[in-house]
Amino acid sequence: MTGSLLEVIALDVRDAVAAEQGGADRLEVVTDMAADGLSPTPETVAAIAAECPLPQMVMLRIDASFTADAAVLDRLSREAKALAQAGAAGFVFGFLDGAGTVDLAATEALIHAVSPLPWTFHRAVDHAGDVQAAWRAVRLLPNLATVLTAGAPTGVGDGLPVLKTRAEAGDASIILAGGGLLPQYVPALLDYGVRAFHVGSAVRTSWSEPVDWGLVRRWRTLVDRD
């Protein structure tokens, strides 16, 4: 890979192939975007792996919440094994407790379950009660590849100041900017030192339509301007 990392949400093989054609570096593979992305099936991951060489970062999540009890963690651990066997290159997860702090016990349990594969802490970090404390907790966790973050629950437009602060604190290398990411925000993010970008709705006309490789190509060009 040269330039910035471009990750595209893929729901199926057609999305994955279009993302590759457009120049994406990596996929985030999910289902049910109405719930902000849940775990896909092993069959979907295997089908994508058979047709597309891009690494698949696979969501581990059973509902739209950011919490996980022992039963949820057991289910996700079993899902992770099946998804890894199907071709997952890494996983996307992350948990908060009832007080809105990073649930280290739950997150570390799943890190252990997916080891040695890398993982992304997803946008739960944007919903933490104390975002700075959440970042301090997450950045030290093992095998962390990236933190998917908009900087704010409402999206990158509102979160730019937080992303700037995190970059200045030394976290630019693990920021995966995504969540309401629009082209006009990219120059500022590049200026902050952010070099990883995540797009979903921005590369399709709607979630009922497939990824448009031409839109992916535009994002490829945009994030590589430096």
Side-chain angles (χ1 to χ4, degrees), residues 27-203:
L27 306 172
E28 183 192 69
V29 182
V30 306
T31 191
D32 196 357
M33 284 305 299
D36 287 332
L38 305 181
S39 303
T41 66
E43 290 77 13
T44 295
V45 171
I48 291 173
E51 299 292 334
C52 176
L54 296 183
Q56 298 183 56
M57 298 295 286
V58 178
M59 183 66 75
L60 289 176
R61 196 178 185 204
I62 66 169
D63 59 41
S65 77
F66 296 114
T67 58
D69 59 19
V72 168
L73 290 171
D74 180 65
R75 174 175 163 181
L76 291 177
S77 295
R78 286 184 277 109
E79 284 186 0
K81 289 180 174 58
L83 291 163
Q85 290 173 351
F91 292 97
V92 184
F93 56 86
F95 307 104
L96 304 177
D97 62 22
T101 59
V102 174
D103 189 336
L104 287 174
T107 304
E108 288 173 348
L110 215 47
I111 293 170
H112 178 75
V114 307
S115 180
L117 293 178
W119 63 287
T120 290
F121 194 97
H122 67 53
R123 287 195 57 208
V125 71
D126 295 336
H127 296 262
D130 183 334
V131 171
Q132 186 172 337
W135 273 89
R136 285 198 300 268
V138 169
R139 67 188 299 189
L140 298 176
L141 292 169
N143 294 333
L144 177 68
T146 45
V147 178
L148 175 57
T149 175
T154 49
V156 172
D158 293 326
L160 283 173
V162 171
L163 296 176
K164 184 174 188 283
T165 297
R166 295 322 315 162
E168 290 171 346
D171 293 330
S173 65
I174 58 171
I175 290 174
L176 175 60
L181 181 63
L182 298 175
Q184 60 261 38
Y185 306 141
V186 171
L189 290 165
L190 290 171
D191 285 345
Y192 303 161
V194 174
R195 293 295 181 271
F197 299 88
H198 167 98
V199 289
S201 59
V203 292

